[in-house]
Amino acid sequence: MQVLDKEFELYITHEEILNKVKALAEELNKDYNGKCPIMVCILNGAFIFAADLVREVNFPVEIGFMKYSSYVGLDTVGTVDKVADLAQDVKGRDIIVVEDIIDTGYTMERILCDFKEKGAASVKVACLLQKPKKLITNIKVDYCALDIKNEFIVGYGLDYNGHGRNLKDIYILSPDDND
Ligand code: IMP
Ligand code: MG
């Protein structure tokens, strides 16, 4: 699968992703029974994951969106910018931050720091994917659908320079293209 100038290989099928998303939703269903959290989708990467996840939970829920940016090409750039803020007031609310992937953790660290200032009652992290060996910040990931290798991936919302988000499956950078 060619995305811009890079070659990618099939890594996780759509079916497997959906099974893992359902399993994650089951965990949320146990923990949020009787509550009404705000699920905050971190744009752009989490938009497909969030859309599938919210349709699998069975508690009342509000949806919100925030946008952060940190990645250029294949590497995280270290500085994280908030590009668009949440519309809802989070004071006293339970928050589930819905993120596509945790890599170094810098983005999530910044998000959690922002929520602390806003006075949320609780803040939990639900991510689709985690590259555990690359985590260099001290953040707690409460729910994670899948652990993956430390390679660059695209598809199911994740991009390479803005492309590949619409792919149904997740693809991994080919070894030959990993320079
Ligand atoms: P972190 O701040 O290093 O944890 O990076 C997290 C952000 O980088 C995520 O929100 C993703 O948007 C992006 N990212 C990390 N790894 C990948 C990848 O393999 N493919 C596409 N985007 C990625
Ligand atoms: Mg992202």
Side-chain angles (χ1 to χ4, degrees):
M1 167 72 59
Q2 184 84 19
V3 180
L4 298 175
D5 60 329
K6 302 275 183 210
E7 189 61 33
F8 290 84
E9 292 169 4
L10 182 61
Y11 184 45
I12 309 165
T13 64
H14 189 62
E15 192 188 356
E16 189 182 347
I17 298 165
L18 291 185
N19 286 336
K20 298 288 185 183
V21 171
K22 279 182 191 161
L24 199 160
E26 285 305 317
E27 284 185 63
L28 295 178
N29 287 338
K30 278 187 212 128
D31 295 353
Y32 287 87
N33 184 17
K35 296 184 177 171
C36 178
I38 306 176
M39 289 174 85
V40 179
C41 169
I42 306 301
L43 297 171
N44 294 334
F47 79 114
I48 293 180
F49 170 47
D52 283 339
L53 186 64
V54 295
R55 286 177 292 175
E56 295 294 339
V57 302
N58 57 21
F59 46 82
V61 65
E62 281 179 55
I63 318 294
F65 298 90
M66 273 173 121
K67 185 166 176 169
Y68 287 82
S69 83
S70 71
Y71 242 68
V72 178
L74 302 178
D75 293 303
T76 194
V77 289
T79 52
V80 180
D81 298 319
K82 181 158 71 184
V83 185
D85 207 347
L86 193 67
Q88 291 100 320
D89 183 7
V90 304
K91 209 162 263 147
R93 299 295 304 271
D94 295 311
I95 303 297
I96 305 169
V97 181
V98 180
E99 174 65 308
D100 53 358
I101 186 165
I102 313 259
D103 188 4
T104 62
Y106 282 130
T107 306
M108 192 51 67
E109 189 175 52
R110 167 71 198 274
I111 294 168
L112 294 175
C113 182
D114 287 353
F115 273 112
K116 234 175 231 160
E117 284 171 13
K118 289 169 186 273
S122 73
V123 184
K124 300 276 177 172
V125 175
C127 72
L128 175 69
L129 306 159
Q130 195 177 1
K131 294 180 186 171
K133 288 192 195 130
K134 277 187 83 178
L135 190 65
I136 51 175
T137 52
N138 193 20
I139 56 154
K140 183 167 177 262
V141 180
D142 302 281
Y143 308 92
C144 178
L146 278 153
D147 278 343
I148 60 163
K149 295 194 276 189
N150 289 330
E151 304 298 345
F152 191 81
I153 52 151
V154 290
Y156 194 72
L158 290 108
D159 74 306
Y160 166 50
N161 280 345
H163 290 252
R165 295 193 195 277
N166 57 319
L167 298 168
K168 279 194 176 175
D169 307 301
I170 290 176
Y171 292 80
I172 193 160
L173 191 65
S174 294
D176 308 344
D177 233 337
N178 208 343
D179 37 51

